[in-house]
């Protein structure tokens, strides 16, 4: 009898959902469109750090004259069932840079002049939501769940710096209440698998002299977060993120000579082994590459819409740093925000400290790797964002984690690795409004680098970067029209002395259907 009652309840719920789904078809939805003209120039081969970063790889090149077109139908989170789709493309002129490529026959370096294509697809995706669960497939710009992407130096694992990866992503739409906690505990999580469509990009820029190149690699990302009741003055979020690459064919070079070619599995077992890092086919090394972070954020909400947030990310590259043997390495930040829905001279500010110096020490020795008789293990040399069997944690040359460390796209010697991850520094940014139509943003950072995880530079490299940006909402002239202007510079031996300007004019609107 009890079983019969449960079946009837489930059937009734199904009919209610079907009715709601049918009603959705006649409801009004909105289609958002925009067209942005982008123009600017810089004094070196690339834009300054703060003009080329945090915009999903759009304006890395020094000189740009681009048109960015998009049409987006967003999810309606207020409905039980909703769907979303989007397409965005860029085209126009972007300057090129000279990369050094080794010619094995001539036994000399040649120059490969490379830059963004004349046109590229930035986003193309479709998404569905049912209750609190979503499924997305395609190229879609995703956002950090932890940091304020307007002002932060960037999420260490999943930032807004690189072009999106083609993937299938499933997870919770937002934080969901955990049963039996009466809303005092919530959970949020995501699991994604995708493909790194950057083989030609890498082949055109790789020096073919030292190191590795992997083509045909697959991608994975996952996270799980827990949050306390969001309506309380104090809200705490804690969890972890993990990303990785696996599969594909890795080709190794030493002194201009191809020494080895290894084909890694792209089968179901490899997918399973990457879900929770597991030994690969050789039984010694873990499948693919994995990195991640332990994340924490606490926000206190004051009266009047003022909020103060403290947060950190503890980066890990393997088991040693996962156990927090890398001292103070990570991102440490504090954020102020005014969230009352009105415009103020100061609406938000962040101050961050970034430290990548320790990396669990400079040495890594595991007896199983060498089949040696020395039993002592030295677990270190984490070499953040780099890997011995897979490409570095970058997509189309830009770091998928923080852009604070120099991305491989800037390596004109043709290296595909992050060369300056052993670094530390500070970042600060603020934004606000001068009036109802004029907004502003300013940022400054300082960095010192000593090379990467296993190769220490004899002398540190320094860099100071700054930017000021102004936005103008020109609805009085034409509804949906806006413009922005940004000026930025780099100074120092790490990124080189560079200055640049970037201008945009955007027309946007929506259509109801």
């Amino acid at each position: 009898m009890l079983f019969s009652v449960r079946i009837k309840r489930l059937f009734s719920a199904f009919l209610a959902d079907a009715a709601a789904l049918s009603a959705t078809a006649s409801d009004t939805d909105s289609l958002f469109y925009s067209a942005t003209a982008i123009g600017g120039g810089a004094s070196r081969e690339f834009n300054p750090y703060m003009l080329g970063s945090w915009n999903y790889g759009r304006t890395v090149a020094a000189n740009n004259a681009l048109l960015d077109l998009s049409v987006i139908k967003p999810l309606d989170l207020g409905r039980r069932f909703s769907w979303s789709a989007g397409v965005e493309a860029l085209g126009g002129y972007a300057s090129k840079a000279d990369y050094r490529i080794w010619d094995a026959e001539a036994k000399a370096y040649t120059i490969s002049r490379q830059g963004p294509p004349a046109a590229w697809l930035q986003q193309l995706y479709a998404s569905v939501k049912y209750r609190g669960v979503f499924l997305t497939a395609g190229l879609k710009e995703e956002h950090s769940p932890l940091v304020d992407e307007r002002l932060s130096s960037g999420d260490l694992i999943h930032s807004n710096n690189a072009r999106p990866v083609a993937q299938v992503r499933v997870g919770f739409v937002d934080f969901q209440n955990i049963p039996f906690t009466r809303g005092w505990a919530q959970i949020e999580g995501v699991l994604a698998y995708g493909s790194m469509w950057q083989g030609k990009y890498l082949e055109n820029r790789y020096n073919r002299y030292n190191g590795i190149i992997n083509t045909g690699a697959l991608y994975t990302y996952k996270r799980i977060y827990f949050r306390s009741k969001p309506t309380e003055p104090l809200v705490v979020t804690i969890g972890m993120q993990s990303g990785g690459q696996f599969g594909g064919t890795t080709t190794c070079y030493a002194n201009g000579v191809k020494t080895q070619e290894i084909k890694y599995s792209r089968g179901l077992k490899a997918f399973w082994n990457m879900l929770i890092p597991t030994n690969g086919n050789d039984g010694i090394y873990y499948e693919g590459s994995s990195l991640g972070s332990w994340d924490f954020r606490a926000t206190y909400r004051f009266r009047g819409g003022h909020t103060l947030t403290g947060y950190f990310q503890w980066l890990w590259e393997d088991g040693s740093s996962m156990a927090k043997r890398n001292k103070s390495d990570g991102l440490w930040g504090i954020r102020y925000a005014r969230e009352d829905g009105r415009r103020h001279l100061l609406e938000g500010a962040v101050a961050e400290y970034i430290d990548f110096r320790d990396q669990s020490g400079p040495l890594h020795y595991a007896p199983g790797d060498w089949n040696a008789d020395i039993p002592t293990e030295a677990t270190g040399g984490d070499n953040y964002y780099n890997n011995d069997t897979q490409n570095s944690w970058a997509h189309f040359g830009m770091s998928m984690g923080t852009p604070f460390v120099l991305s491989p796209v800037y390596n004109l010697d043709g290296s595909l690795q992050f060369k300056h991850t052993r670094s530390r520094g500070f970042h600060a940014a603020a934004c606000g409004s001068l009036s109802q139509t004029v907004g502003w943003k300013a940022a400054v950072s300082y960095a010192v680098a000593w090379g990467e995880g296993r190769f220490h530079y004899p002398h540190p490299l320094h860099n100071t970067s700054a930017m000021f940006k102004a936005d103008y909402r020109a609805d009085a002239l034409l509804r949906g029209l806006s413009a922005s202007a940004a000026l930025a510079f780099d100074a120092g031996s790490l990124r080189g002395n560079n200055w640049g300007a970037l201008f945009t004019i955007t027309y946007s609107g929506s259509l109801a259907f």
Side-chain angles (χ1 to χ4, degrees):
M1 183 66 179
L2 181 59
F3 178 76
S4 176
V5 171
R6 288 180 177 176
I7 292 294
K8 288 180 180 179
R9 288 177 179 174
L10 288 173
F11 186 66
S12 298
F14 172 77
L15 291 178
D17 289 347
L21 181 59
S22 176
T24 299
S26 61
D27 288 341
T28 300
D29 287 290
S30 294
L31 199 67
F32 295 88
Y33 59 86
S34 71
T36 301
I38 304 171
S43 60
R44 290 176 65 91
E45 297 90 344
F46 301 97
N47 253 329
Y49 161 48
M50 292 188 172
L51 296 183
S53 304
W54 309 311
N55 58 21
Y56 295 97
R58 288 177 174 83
T59 57
V60 183
N63 304 311
N64 296 277
L66 302 170
L67 182 62
D68 184 344
L69 303 174
S70 70
V71 179
I72 304 292
K73 193 273 181 191
L75 286 173
D76 187 339
L77 300 182
R79 295 176 179 170
R80 184 169 295 176
F81 175 87
S82 180
W83 65 275
S84 170
V87 59
E88 180 181 4
L90 285 88
Y93 167 77
S95 59
K96 301 180 184 297
D98 294 337
Y99 291 84
R100 297 177 65 203
I101 309 296
W102 179 256
D103 187 332
E105 294 185 0
K107 294 184 178 181
Y109 280 103
T110 61
I111 297 299
S112 177
R113 191 160 178 78
Q114 298 294 325
W120 73 89
L121 198 61
Q122 182 74 10
Q123 297 191 83
L124 179 63
Y125 67 90
S127 182
V128 294
K129 177 192 84 75
Y130 180 70
R131 292 180 180 266
V133 179
F134 77 91
L135 172 68
T136 301
L139 295 164
K140 184 177 184 295
E141 295 177 353
E142 303 289 347
H143 301 282
S144 168
L146 187 77
V147 302
D148 183 347
E149 291 185 325
R150 299 172 305 162
L151 301 174
S152 173
S153 61
D155 190 298
L156 299 188
I157 307 302
H158 191 281
S159 76
N160 55 343
N161 190 54
R163 287 171 57 180
V165 176
Q167 61 189 277
V168 175
R169 178 176 285 236
V170 63
F172 295 118
V173 174
D174 200 349
F175 281 91
Q176 305 294 316
N177 290 333
I178 297 176
F180 310 114
T181 66
R182 297 184 179 183
W184 282 95
Q186 297 183 322
I187 186 172
E188 191 266 2
V190 166
L191 174 63
Y193 284 99
S195 181
M196 307 287 288
W197 292 349
Q198 57 172 348
K200 289 296 182 182
Y201 173 94
L202 298 175
E203 291 173 354
N204 290 338
R205 290 162 176 79
Y206 178 45
N207 58 34
R208 294 182 179 84
Y209 191 81
N210 279 324
I212 66 167
I213 179 173
N214 179 288
T215 55
L218 299 177
Y219 164 91
T220 184
Y221 172 81
K222 48 191 173 287
R223 73 169 178 260
I224 184 169
Y225 278 5
F226 298 93
R227 185 176 73 177
S228 64
K229 194 172 185 177
T231 56
E232 295 297 308
L234 177 64
V235 182
V236 175
T237 303
I238 189 169
M240 62 83 68
Q241 298 182 76
S242 177
Q245 299 178 74
F246 64 105
T249 301
T250 296
T251 306
C252 309
Y253 288 84
N255 298 321
V257 177
K258 178 180 174 181
T259 59
Q260 192 177 16
E261 185 175 278
I262 309 170
K263 293 186 177 181
Y264 295 101
S265 171
R266 292 163 55 104
L268 291 177
K269 185 177 180 181
F271 278 74
W272 174 256
N273 288 343
M274 288 300 296
L275 184 62
I276 299 176
T278 308
N279 284 351
N281 295 329
D282 55 20
I284 299 176
Y285 297 105
Y286 281 85
E287 190 86 45
S289 67
S290 293
L291 77 159
S293 64
W294 299 109
D295 299 345
F296 174 85
R297 180 177 64 197
T299 298
Y300 189 83
R301 187 181 301 108
F302 298 88
R303 293 181 180 179
H306 303 273
T307 65
L308 190 64
T309 302
Y311 54 92
F312 65 72
Q313 285 188 286
W314 291 345
L315 182 67
W316 52 266
E317 185 72 35
D318 57 27
S320 57
S321 45
M322 181 181 285
K324 199 56 184 134
R325 296 173 180 168
N326 52 3
K327 296 184 180 179
S328 62
D329 282 7
L331 170 70
W332 309 78
I334 187 169
R335 169 181 178 258
Y336 164 79
R338 189 80 178 268
E339 299 176 348
D340 59 359
R342 293 181 293 177
R343 302 194 183 280
H344 301 275
L345 181 61
L346 179 63
E347 296 169 356
V350 301
E352 295 178 338
Y353 170 66
I354 304 100
D355 196 342
F356 283 4
R357 290 176 298 166
D358 188 74
Q359 306 202 22
S360 301
L363 301 177
H364 178 80
Y365 173 80
D369 294 351
W370 304 95
N371 295 317
D373 295 330
I374 303 174
T376 303
E377 182 170 345
T379 305
D382 293 336
N383 202 12
Y384 300 148
Y385 293 163
N386 294 318
N387 189 264
D388 293 334
T389 62
Q390 296 286 331
N391 295 319
S392 60
W393 190 240
H395 195 225
F396 286 92
M398 296 295 283
S399 168
M400 293 189 286
T402 177
F404 185 83
V405 295
L406 200 65
S407 294
V409 69
Y410 302 108
N411 297 337
L412 295 179
D413 63 356
S415 170
L416 301 181
Q417 301 291 299
F418 286 83
K419 299 171 66 176
H420 305 284
T421 60
R422 189 179 292 277
S423 60
R424 69 179 293 198
F426 304 89
H427 171 90
C431 66
S433 297
L434 299 177
S435 69
Q436 292 298 312
T437 58
V438 178
W440 65 273
K441 173 184 173 181
V444 63
S445 74
Y446 175 74
V448 185
W450 292 267
E452 49 104 328
R454 298 176 185 175
F455 297 95
H456 201 287
Y457 278 33
H459 304 288
L461 304 178
H462 300 259
N463 179 80
T464 300
S465 296
M467 178 194 69
F468 182 81
K469 180 181 180 182
D471 300 292
Y472 175 60
R473 293 172 288 277
D475 287 331
L477 300 176
L478 178 64
R479 185 175 179 82
L481 185 66
S482 62
S484 71
L487 300 174
F489 73 84
D490 299 326
S493 53
L494 178 59
R495 295 180 180 270
N497 298 327
N498 190 15
W499 63 268
L502 193 66
F503 305 93
T504 67
I505 300 176
T506 300
Y507 177 72
S508 60
S510 63
L511 297 173
F513 65 92

